[in-house]
Amino acid sequence: MSDSSERPVALPWPPIVYLAAAVIAIGLGIVYPLPWLLSPLAELAFAAGIAVIVGAVAMEVSAVMALRRARTTVLPTRRPDHLVTGGPYSFTRNPIYLGNTMLLVGAGLIFGLLWFLPMAIAAAMLVNKLVVEREETVLEHRFGRAYRDYRKKARRWI
């Protein structure tokens, strides 16, 4: 197996994409602010944002712990040693990327910056194209039927 078929990606795209999406959302909010909710809906959005971020962090921590328990890499640039299907991986094949997307949504709700919402969707779509599709190819090549069976049980995102 060549190095390109063992490693999903050469660059750590997910953190780069999600950070860029946050910066763009903030920049757009400064240059072209969009209207936001008035009280008391703004307070409800703030509380919902906190809840979304707490859920995202909990899911990401749980996902990282599941990967570590399986003694496989957390880094998207490294070859996976084991197929992880427990914890949050039992309902989504990409809990860390889903958590990152949720962090953007939560930030938008907390800070009242509507631009975070479309940027979260754009970031998820870009990560899907740059990373997830490639990871799936590597996982199928590496784990074969076990991965194909897992793919039938857990959705790609949600």
Side-chain angles (χ1 to χ4, degrees):
M1 188 180 328
S2 71
D3 188 55
S4 65
S5 65
E6 292 180 2
R7 286 188 342 171
V9 292
L11 289 173
W13 286 115
I16 294 168
V17 169
Y18 285 105
L19 181 60
V23 169
I24 292 169
I26 292 167
L28 286 169
I30 292 168
V31 173
Y32 188 74
L34 296 176
W36 190 241
L37 304 169
L38 300 175
S39 193
L41 293 177
E43 287 83 10
L44 289 173
F46 181 86
I50 295 284
V52 169
I53 285 178
V54 167
V57 169
M59 182 168 47
E60 289 194 34
V61 167
S62 178
V64 169
M65 289 173 46
L67 293 170
R68 293 220 169 136
R69 275 193 305 274
R71 293 193 169 117
T72 194
T73 187
V74 175
L75 302 174
T77 56
R78 300 259 172 93
R79 183 187 88 176
D81 295 316
H82 303 285
L83 179 62
V84 179
T85 61
Y89 290 94
S90 64
F91 63 88
T92 176
R93 298 194 307 264
N94 298 289
I96 295 173
Y97 306 148
L98 177 59
N100 291 338
T101 304
M102 290 170 58
L103 288 173
L104 289 178
V105 170
L109 293 171
I110 288 172
F111 298 117
L113 287 172
L114 197 56
W115 285 111
F116 271 91
L117 305 179
M119 291 311 301
I121 294 167
M125 291 171 64
L126 194 54
V127 165
N128 194 68
K129 197 67 178 157
L130 290 173
V131 182
V132 172
E133 291 177 6
R134 176 73 178 139
E135 283 181 343
E136 289 179 345
T137 300
V138 169
L139 289 167
E140 184 164 4
H141 188 258
R142 182 140 173 82
F143 301 109
R145 183 174 180 178
Y147 178 71
R148 288 189 298 276
D149 290 345
Y150 166 63
R151 197 173 55 204
K152 291 175 188 173
K153 296 175 186 171
R155 296 179 61 95
R156 180 182 275 172
W157 288 90
I158 52 173

